[in-house]
Amino acid sequence: MPFERATSWGHGGFDERGARNEERVRRDFWRKAARVAAKLPFAEDLLAAYYCAFDQATPFRVRAALIGALDFVPDVLPLLGFTDDAAILLTALRMVAGHLRPEHRDAARVALERIKAGRE
């Protein structure tokens, strides 16, 4: 899928901090997801948001919002009850839900199954 291997945003208005957030999300997301996603009631939405955030067809402002929200996924969200982080994620997901396309959701379902099977 095109969003799985998307390169950096390359948008003129994307600042250095945003680039660092993007790289941190790319680097850490799957490690974190493997630990917590199967336990989250909104795991599929979270994974779809990841795919949407790195889809070049997603509008820049939506991608920026998602990267910012995904950067809040802590390592132990469900274990220690980071309700403020969960609220940020859920709010961002609701704001951009119209941009989550069927292929994002399909990829999320596949990834969630891999995580649950211990293959990711």
Side-chain angles (χ1 to χ4, degrees):
M1 291 181 204
F3 44 84
E4 290 185 77
R5 301 280 185 234
T7 58
S8 245
W9 294 1
H11 188 278
F14 195 59
D15 64 10
E16 184 178 320
R17 181 172 175 246
R20 283 193 311 265
N21 288 351
E22 177 187 0
E23 289 307 311
R24 184 174 36 255
V25 169
R26 283 183 184 273
R27 182 186 66 235
D28 297 341
F29 182 81
W30 290 108
R31 176 183 50 82
K32 293 176 183 182
R35 289 184 187 159
V36 302
K39 300 171 187 139
L40 294 174
F42 57 93
E44 189 176 310
D45 289 330
L46 178 65
L47 295 171
Y50 175 87
Y51 287 112
C52 183
F54 291 104
D55 183 347
Q56 296 295 325
T58 301
F60 176 77
R61 64 181 168 70
V62 174
R63 294 174 71 198
L66 287 171
I67 290 293
L70 290 170
D71 198 26
F72 276 93
V73 178
D75 288 315
V76 289
L77 179 80
L79 302 176
L80 297 180
F82 288 97
T83 55
D84 54 336
D85 295 328
I88 291 168
L89 287 168
L90 289 171
T91 299
L93 289 172
R94 286 187 187 117
M95 288 173 50
V96 301
H99 294 280
L100 297 177
R101 297 193 328 251
E103 55 266 33
H104 301 146
R105 295 202 179 273
D106 292 343
R109 278 190 284 282
V110 170
L112 189 56
E113 287 305 315
R114 285 184 186 153
I115 288 169
K116 289 179 178 179
R119 293 180 279 160
E120 186 106 305

